[in-house]
Amino acid sequence: MTKRTMPKPDAHLQVYVDILGIDGAVKFLLEFGGAEMYFPANPKGNSELARGMGIEKARALCAASDRMKGRIPTGKPWLAKVMRAKGLSNAQIARKLHVIDNTV
């Protein structure tokens, strides 16, 4: 089986990939994408961000918040490419992204 190359993230998603890695960025965008998010200077372990990503990753994201917009992007086109590179079918990708399979 040949190893698939992961797609390069769009510029507005690069900060998430830099901090979280590809799998972490996918998880983050699926969980938090599409809404505003407050990044405190010193996140605590009981925040939604820390519970979802772990306190160390939450702190790293908060430290880089000046490189992010207030609203987390959905990143669906890039997410679809990553999922395709991992071998998921159009139907599987569509279900994960909550879109119809024709748009994948």
Side-chain angles (χ1 to χ4, degrees), residues 3 7 17 58 73 75-76 81 88 99:
K3 185 175 179 181
V17 174
K76 286 184 180 184
K81 290 175 190 173
L88 274 67
V99 298

Side-chain angles (χ1 to χ4, degrees), residues 7-46:
K8 183 176 180 196
D10 298 331
H12 68 290
L13 303 176
Q14 187 66 54
V15 64
Y16 305 104
V17 174
D18 289 347
I19 294 168
L20 304 171
I22 289 178
D23 290 337
V26 167
K27 178 182 176 187
F28 177 79
L29 295 173
L30 288 173
E31 189 166 341
F32 297 106
E36 289 184 333
M37 177 167 270
Y38 169 68
F39 291 101
N42 186 21
K44 305 297 181 205
N46 61 348

Side-chain angles (χ1 to χ4, degrees), residues 4 79-90 93 104:
R4 298 177 190 225
L79 290 172
K81 290 175 190 173
V82 170
M83 291 176 194
R84 168 59 67 209
K86 290 183 174 214
L88 274 67
S89 69
N90 282 359
I93 294 168
V104 173

Side-chain angles (χ1 to χ4, degrees), residues 22-73:
I22 289 178
D23 290 337
V26 167
K27 178 182 176 187
F28 177 79
L29 295 173
L30 288 173
E31 189 166 341
F32 297 106
E36 289 184 333
M37 177 167 270
Y38 169 68
F39 291 101
N42 186 21
K44 305 297 181 205
N46 61 348
S47 71
E48 185 178 9
L49 178 60
R51 286 191 310 270
M53 302 309 299
I55 190 64
E56 293 306 316
K57 296 292 185 180
R59 286 184 178 141
L61 285 166
C62 291
S65 64
D66 61 323
R67 296 173 44 203
M68 301 175 214
K69 296 187 177 189
R71 188 173 313 281
I72 306 302

